[in-house]
Amino acid sequence: MADVAVETVKLTIDGVPVTALQGTLVIEAARQMGVMIPHFCYHPKLKPDANCRMCVVEIEKVPKLQTSCSTPVAEGMVVRTATTVVNEAHKSILEFILANHPLDCPV
Amino acid sequence: MPTHEQILLKNMSTPGYTGSLADYERAGGYQALRKVLGKITPADVTEMVKKSGLRGRGGAGFPTAVKWEFLPKDYQGPRYLCCNADESEPGTFKDRQLMERDPHQMLEGIVIACYAIGAEIGYIYIRGEFALGTQILERALGEARAAGYLGTNILDTGFNLDVWVHRGAGAYICGEETALLESLEGKRGLPRVKPPFPATHGLYNKPTVVNNVETLANLPHILNRGPEWFASIGAPPRSTGTRIFCVSGHVKRPGNYEVPMGITFRELIFEHAGGMRSDKPLKAIIPGGASAAFFTDQHLEVKLDFESVAQAGSMLGSGGVTVMEEGTSMVWAALRLMEFFYHESCGKCTPCREGSSWLVQTLRRIMAKRGRHEDLDTLTELCKNIAGRTICAFGDAEVAPILSTLQYWRHEYEELIEAAEAAELITPEPALARH
């Protein structure tokens, strides 16, 4: 493992310093430290499509919420996964999906 | 009526001008190309365009030369130029006129742009509905190839370029640059996540520049008469040159008007377009296509340049200026625009797909006098949850009509809702899901 020449990146997620390999998606970096960001359309084996918009997070210095499934980690990035704005975004996305979606998935 | 020098519309306004290569050359066409190819370096061409202050004429107004400079410098592979001829913003019809009446002006601009960015292949993505425009462009491309302005070793300078026309199939979203590229690649026209941007990962993931028809049509003039000349017109330094404004709606003379940037709405509407159609007072203006927030009669002195319109709370956008007279229902206007956006939403991302459907159903109910008081808060809340949360700017566009009509004409919404309550209608609701 010590011979792998992939750079690591240091960032902060929810106040916790995280070190991740370059190219790691923010949603994966969060999962590695135990934070599960809600998502619908993301799967580790698929290319990110970023269409459900559920996995949005706040990234410092970036004006709009960003989808964590399509954003790779960057040095010095400060990510917040559970602010008021993010929580309201989660609610609104879920509401949008359920507006035209019969809730019979558990059936 | 004030006369301003016509630049882009000059040739086609000359009686007897057919847009053929012979006519274009007689009017001084392809001189700029001869001046540029092999004699001015691509980097210098870009510098000249930068000095002219040319900004994109498609709607976003991004500085053209800056966009060109985003292409990677040491990259050796193919680069592409895509001319965005998908003109679909409601109320906009300038590119159509430019392509149908003076195609070579745009073609010369395309060759210059391709030379500046190092592209050997150019595509004109033209909306499918422009069948006549496609025919005219194909003919013009044939003339240009025969005359040696396209092909290999153009004008003996070693520069190779060919340009192809690709027809769209009726999707407004394909005017969004990444959706355009997807469609050009043969896929469904769904926007891509940005970043990365087309400058580095564009057509077939290669460095690509997407420019609007009118933007490209300006290039021969900038190269012929010099960037300082162009920069002296309009409202320098931020809004240089002329702009073709498409005036439509309740005016006496709807049409395309090429004017220097910085004239007021009042001058455009009342002097150029002849004023109100039925002489009723002006009630509302859409300043720059359907995605632009509405203006009222209080905004007539606002200047038609990028900064002034943005400061006044809207956007210069595509140049589509739609005028509405007293007596127009603003709720109806918002609904009509929302129907357009609902129809055109590509469906990829949740807020726009579900939000547009929810917004249009709510507006239909209000318009049909089935509204409820909480509907106005619902509309505002929905708009807040759509804007800024989508993959592309469509989401921000679709909420602009509702938010701005609510801002300036909230009482019209309230009157309709009060009428619903007063009528205590219990008859079945009209069909709301119309596909």
Side-chain angles (χ1 to χ4, degrees), chain A residues 65-82:
Chain A
L65 296 178
Q66 297 297 306
T67 44
S68 53
C69 69
S70 64
T71 310
V73 294
E75 186 68 35
M77 194 186 255
V78 178
V79 180
R80 278 181 259 272
T81 72

Side-chain angles (χ1 to χ4, degrees), chain A residues 48-54 56 64-67 70 85 88-90 92-97 99-101, chain B residues 193-195 348-358 361 381-382 384-391 396:
Chain A
D49 207 35
N51 65 62
C52 77
R53 315 308 282 176
M54 192 64 173
V56 286
K64 297 197 262 201
L65 296 178
Q66 297 297 306
T67 44
S70 64
V85 177
E88 276 170 13
H90 287 163
S92 75
I93 296 289
L94 191 54
E95 190 171 18
F96 275 138
I97 293 178
N100 276 318
H101 183 87
Chain B
V193 173
K194 293 194 281 201
K348 182 168 179 180
C349 70
T350 308
C352 175
R353 179 186 67 242
E354 307 301 337
S356 64
S357 155
W358 198 336
Q361 286 183 39
E381 194 64 26
L382 287 172
K384 203 181 77 176
N385 286 324
I386 297 171
R389 302 272 173 87
T390 52
I391 294 180
D396 308 297

Side-chain angles (χ1 to χ4, degrees), chain B residues 158-424:
Chain B
F159 178 58
N160 306 327
L161 170 67
D162 214 334
V163 175
W164 309 98
V165 175
H166 177 99
R167 293 181 71 190
Y172 166 73
I173 192 63
C174 286
E176 200 276 333
E177 62 176 359
T178 58
L180 187 155
L181 296 175
E182 290 283 292
S183 175
L184 201 44
E185 290 181 16
K187 301 187 248 165
R188 293 171 65 199
L190 303 176
R192 299 174 182 167
V193 173
K194 293 194 281 201
F197 292 88
T200 50
H201 295 80
L203 190 62
Y204 308 115
N205 253 352
K206 307 282 187 278
T208 306
V209 164
V210 181
N211 278 144
N212 171 263
V213 169
E214 190 188 346
T215 312
L216 293 163
N218 273 297
L219 295 176
H221 302 282
I222 293 175
L223 273 308
N224 253 337
R225 298 166 73 168
E228 294 81 11
W229 158 82
F230 190 85
S232 70
I233 303 170
R238 303 299 311 277
S239 301
T240 55
T242 59
R243 193 80 212 248
I244 303 177
F245 289 106
C246 321
V247 187
S248 64
H250 299 145
V251 290
K252 288 206 168 76
R253 290 192 298 269
N256 281 321
Y257 292 98
E258 182 181 8
V259 291
M261 288 230 247
I263 69 165
T264 60
F265 278 95
R266 184 182 295 283
E267 190 181 332
L268 178 69
I269 295 170
F270 288 95
E271 293 177 33
H272 291 271
M276 304 305 290
R277 173 179 76 174
S278 314
D279 292 315
K280 290 194 194 151
L282 183 146
K283 180 172 185 184
I285 311 169
I286 305 181
S291 331
F294 279 69
F295 273 172
T296 67
D297 58 348
Q298 301 302 303
H299 291 97
L300 281 168
E301 309 309 328
V302 173
K303 298 208 178 91
L304 282 153
D305 64 68
F306 292 105
E307 268 61 41
S308 302
V309 180
Q311 238 166 37
S314 186
M315 56 188 261
L316 198 62
S318 64
V321 178
T322 306
V323 179
M324 297 178 201
E325 68 192 7
E326 202 62 57
T328 312
S329 160
M330 301 317 295
V331 183
W332 168 85
L335 172 59
R336 188 63 204 87
L337 288 167
M338 202 59 230
E339 294 277 5
F340 170 77
F341 287 119
Y342 166 63
H343 183 83
E344 296 290 343
S345 170
C346 76
K348 182 168 179 180
C349 70
T350 308
C352 175
R353 179 186 67 242
E354 307 301 337
S356 64
S357 155
W358 198 336
L359 284 171
V360 84
Q361 286 183 39
T362 310
L363 276 175
R364 283 177 188 161
R365 258 193 316 100
I366 295 176
M367 198 65 208
K369 301 218 185 86
R370 300 281 197 284
R372 299 186 286 264
H373 265 295
E374 52 267 25
D375 284 341
L376 297 188
D377 286 335
T378 304
L379 286 176
T380 318
E381 194 64 26
L382 287 172
C383 290
K384 203 181 77 176
N385 286 324
I386 297 171
R389 302 272 173 87
T390 52
I391 294 180
C392 76
F394 192 105
D396 308 297
E398 71 182 353
V399 304
I402 297 182
L403 288 176
S404 56
T405 49
L406 268 174
Q407 179 187 359
Y408 293 119
W409 297 282
R410 193 182 180 94
H411 57 277
E412 291 194 28
Y413 286 87
E414 287 170 343
E415 276 160 25
L416 281 165
I417 290 174
E418 264 143 45
E421 296 196 334
E424 286 180 29

